Short mmCIF file of all heavy atoms in Angstrom, two decimals:
data_model
loop_
_atom_site.label_atom_id
_atom_site.label_comp_id
_atom_site.label_asym_id
_atom_site.label_seq_id
_atom_site.Cartn_x
_atom_site.Cartn_y
_atom_site.Cartn_z
N ARG A 16 156.16 169.78 79.51
CA ARG A 16 155.47 169.24 78.30
C ARG A 16 156.12 169.78 77.07
O ARG A 16 156.42 169.01 76.09
CB ARG A 16 153.97 169.64 78.41
CG ARG A 16 153.16 169.25 77.18
CD ARG A 16 151.70 169.73 77.26
NE ARG A 16 151.01 169.55 76.01
CZ ARG A 16 151.04 170.43 74.96
NH1 ARG A 16 151.76 171.59 75.21
NH2 ARG A 16 150.44 170.22 73.90
N LEU A 20 158.02 167.73 73.99
CA LEU A 20 157.50 167.77 72.60
C LEU A 20 158.56 168.28 71.65
O LEU A 20 158.72 167.72 70.52
CB LEU A 20 156.25 168.71 72.54
CG LEU A 20 155.03 168.20 73.31
CD1 LEU A 20 153.94 169.23 73.24
CD2 LEU A 20 154.59 166.89 72.87
N MET A 37 160.33 156.47 74.84
CA MET A 37 160.15 157.22 76.11
C MET A 37 161.47 157.28 76.86
O MET A 37 161.80 158.34 77.46
CB MET A 37 159.13 156.52 76.99
CG MET A 37 157.72 156.42 76.36
SD MET A 37 156.97 158.05 76.21
CE MET A 37 155.27 157.64 75.82
N LEU A 52 155.40 159.42 80.93
CA LEU A 52 154.14 158.79 80.82
C LEU A 52 153.08 159.51 81.68
O LEU A 52 151.92 159.46 81.39
CB LEU A 52 154.28 157.36 81.24
CG LEU A 52 154.92 156.39 80.20
CD1 LEU A 52 155.16 155.03 80.82
CD2 LEU A 52 154.00 156.27 79.02
N TYR A 54 152.79 162.68 81.96
CA TYR A 54 152.27 163.74 81.14
C TYR A 54 151.45 163.32 79.96
O TYR A 54 150.49 163.96 79.58
CB TYR A 54 153.38 164.67 80.65
CG TYR A 54 153.99 165.54 81.73
CD1 TYR A 54 155.20 165.25 82.29
CD2 TYR A 54 153.29 166.65 82.17
CE1 TYR A 54 155.81 166.10 83.29
CE2 TYR A 54 153.85 167.51 83.17
CZ TYR A 54 155.06 167.16 83.72
OH TYR A 54 155.60 167.98 84.69
N PHE A 55 151.83 162.16 79.35
CA PHE A 55 151.22 161.78 78.07
C PHE A 55 150.41 160.44 78.11
O PHE A 55 149.55 160.26 77.23
CB PHE A 55 152.34 161.71 77.01
CG PHE A 55 153.04 163.01 76.81
CD1 PHE A 55 154.29 163.23 77.35
CD2 PHE A 55 152.47 164.08 76.10
CE1 PHE A 55 154.94 164.43 77.22
CE2 PHE A 55 153.11 165.24 75.96
CZ PHE A 55 154.32 165.45 76.52
N GLY A 56 150.73 159.60 79.04
CA GLY A 56 149.96 158.36 79.13
C GLY A 56 150.41 157.29 78.20
O GLY A 56 150.74 156.14 78.64
N THR A 57 150.37 157.55 76.92
CA THR A 57 150.78 156.56 75.92
C THR A 57 151.65 157.20 74.83
O THR A 57 151.65 158.38 74.70
CB THR A 57 149.51 155.93 75.26
OG1 THR A 57 148.86 156.99 74.47
CG2 THR A 57 148.56 155.36 76.27
N LYS A 58 152.29 156.36 74.06
CA LYS A 58 153.09 156.86 72.92
C LYS A 58 152.18 157.51 71.88
O LYS A 58 152.55 158.46 71.26
CB LYS A 58 153.95 155.76 72.34
CG LYS A 58 154.97 156.31 71.29
CD LYS A 58 155.91 155.26 70.81
CE LYS A 58 156.92 155.89 69.84
NZ LYS A 58 157.97 154.90 69.40
N ASP A 59 151.02 156.90 71.66
CA ASP A 59 150.11 157.47 70.68
C ASP A 59 149.73 158.93 71.09
O ASP A 59 149.63 159.83 70.20
CB ASP A 59 148.80 156.67 70.61
CG ASP A 59 148.94 155.36 69.75
OD1 ASP A 59 150.13 155.16 69.28
OD2 ASP A 59 148.00 154.67 69.60
N GLU A 60 149.45 159.16 72.33
CA GLU A 60 149.14 160.53 72.81
C GLU A 60 150.33 161.41 72.70
O GLU A 60 150.20 162.59 72.32
CB GLU A 60 148.63 160.47 74.28
CG GLU A 60 148.31 161.82 74.87
CD GLU A 60 147.15 162.49 74.17
OE1 GLU A 60 146.35 161.84 73.50
OE2 GLU A 60 147.07 163.73 74.30
N LEU A 61 151.52 160.90 72.96
CA LEU A 61 152.75 161.73 72.83
C LEU A 61 152.86 162.15 71.39
O LEU A 61 153.18 163.31 71.08
CB LEU A 61 153.97 160.94 73.28
CG LEU A 61 155.32 161.55 72.91
CD1 LEU A 61 155.58 162.81 73.62
CD2 LEU A 61 156.45 160.53 73.15
N LEU A 62 152.68 161.19 70.43
CA LEU A 62 152.84 161.55 69.02
C LEU A 62 151.79 162.59 68.56
O LEU A 62 152.12 163.53 67.83
CB LEU A 62 152.73 160.31 68.16
CG LEU A 62 153.80 159.22 68.30
CD1 LEU A 62 153.51 157.98 67.52
CD2 LEU A 62 155.17 159.82 67.83
N LEU A 63 150.55 162.40 69.04
CA LEU A 63 149.50 163.34 68.62
C LEU A 63 149.82 164.74 69.17
O LEU A 63 149.66 165.74 68.50
CB LEU A 63 148.12 162.83 69.09
CG LEU A 63 146.93 163.76 68.83
CD1 LEU A 63 146.89 164.17 67.37
CD2 LEU A 63 145.62 163.06 69.26
N GLN A 64 150.20 164.81 70.44
CA GLN A 64 150.51 166.11 71.03
C GLN A 64 151.77 166.76 70.40
O GLN A 64 151.82 167.98 70.22
CB GLN A 64 150.70 166.01 72.55
CG GLN A 64 149.49 165.77 73.32
CD GLN A 64 149.56 166.10 74.77
OE1 GLN A 64 150.31 166.99 75.18
NE2 GLN A 64 148.85 165.34 75.62
N THR A 65 152.75 165.95 69.95
CA THR A 65 153.84 166.48 69.26
C THR A 65 153.44 167.05 67.91
O THR A 65 153.93 168.11 67.48
CB THR A 65 154.97 165.35 69.02
OG1 THR A 65 155.36 164.85 70.28
CG2 THR A 65 156.16 165.94 68.38
N LEU A 66 152.55 166.34 67.23
CA LEU A 66 151.98 166.84 65.97
C LEU A 66 151.25 168.12 66.16
O LEU A 66 151.45 169.15 65.42
CB LEU A 66 151.13 165.79 65.29
CG LEU A 66 150.55 166.24 63.93
CD1 LEU A 66 151.61 166.55 62.92
CD2 LEU A 66 149.65 165.09 63.45
N GLN A 67 150.44 168.21 67.20
CA GLN A 67 149.74 169.46 67.51
C GLN A 67 150.68 170.61 67.81
O GLN A 67 150.48 171.72 67.31
CB GLN A 67 148.80 169.23 68.69
CG GLN A 67 147.59 168.32 68.42
CD GLN A 67 146.71 168.10 69.63
OE1 GLN A 67 147.22 167.62 70.70
NE2 GLN A 67 145.47 168.42 69.52
N VAL A 114 150.79 159.42 62.77
CA VAL A 114 149.61 159.70 63.59
C VAL A 114 148.39 159.25 62.85
O VAL A 114 147.50 158.64 63.43
CB VAL A 114 149.59 161.18 64.00
CG1 VAL A 114 148.24 161.53 64.57
CG2 VAL A 114 150.70 161.51 64.96
N ARG A 117 148.03 155.51 62.95
CA ARG A 117 147.60 154.99 64.28
C ARG A 117 146.12 155.38 64.57
O ARG A 117 145.51 154.78 65.42
CB ARG A 117 148.51 155.58 65.35
CG ARG A 117 149.93 154.99 65.34
CD ARG A 117 150.84 155.75 66.27
NE ARG A 117 152.20 155.17 66.33
CZ ARG A 117 152.64 154.46 67.32
NH1 ARG A 117 151.90 154.24 68.40
NH2 ARG A 117 153.90 153.98 67.30
N ASP A 122 140.41 156.67 69.53
CA ASP A 122 139.00 156.98 69.88
C ASP A 122 138.51 158.24 69.22
O ASP A 122 139.28 158.92 68.51
CB ASP A 122 138.89 157.10 71.42
CG ASP A 122 139.74 158.21 71.99
OD1 ASP A 122 140.05 159.23 71.25
OD2 ASP A 122 140.13 158.11 73.18
N ALA A 124 137.61 161.11 70.30
CA ALA A 124 138.17 162.38 70.71
C ALA A 124 139.50 162.67 70.03
O ALA A 124 139.75 163.77 69.63
CB ALA A 124 138.29 162.38 72.27
N ALA A 125 140.36 161.64 69.95
CA ALA A 125 141.61 161.84 69.28
C ALA A 125 141.45 162.09 67.79
O ALA A 125 142.16 162.94 67.21
CB ALA A 125 142.47 160.57 69.46
N ARG A 128 140.62 165.68 67.30
CA ARG A 128 141.75 166.55 67.43
C ARG A 128 142.59 166.58 66.16
O ARG A 128 143.11 167.62 65.72
CB ARG A 128 142.58 166.15 68.65
CG ARG A 128 141.94 166.40 69.95
CD ARG A 128 142.49 165.56 71.07
NE ARG A 128 143.91 165.80 71.31
CZ ARG A 128 144.63 164.95 72.00
NH1 ARG A 128 144.14 163.82 72.52
NH2 ARG A 128 145.92 165.16 72.20
#
Side-chain angles (χ1 to χ4, degrees):
R16 175 182 171 276
L20 297 177
M37 298 295 192
L52 284 171
Y54 285 105
F55 300 100
T57 66
K58 187 172 182 178
D59 283 1
E60 179 63 21
L61 169 66
L62 292 176
L63 178 52
Q64 287 198 34
T65 302
L66 181 59
Q67 289 177 305
V114 169
R117 290 169 178 256
D122 60 27
R128 289 158 63 195

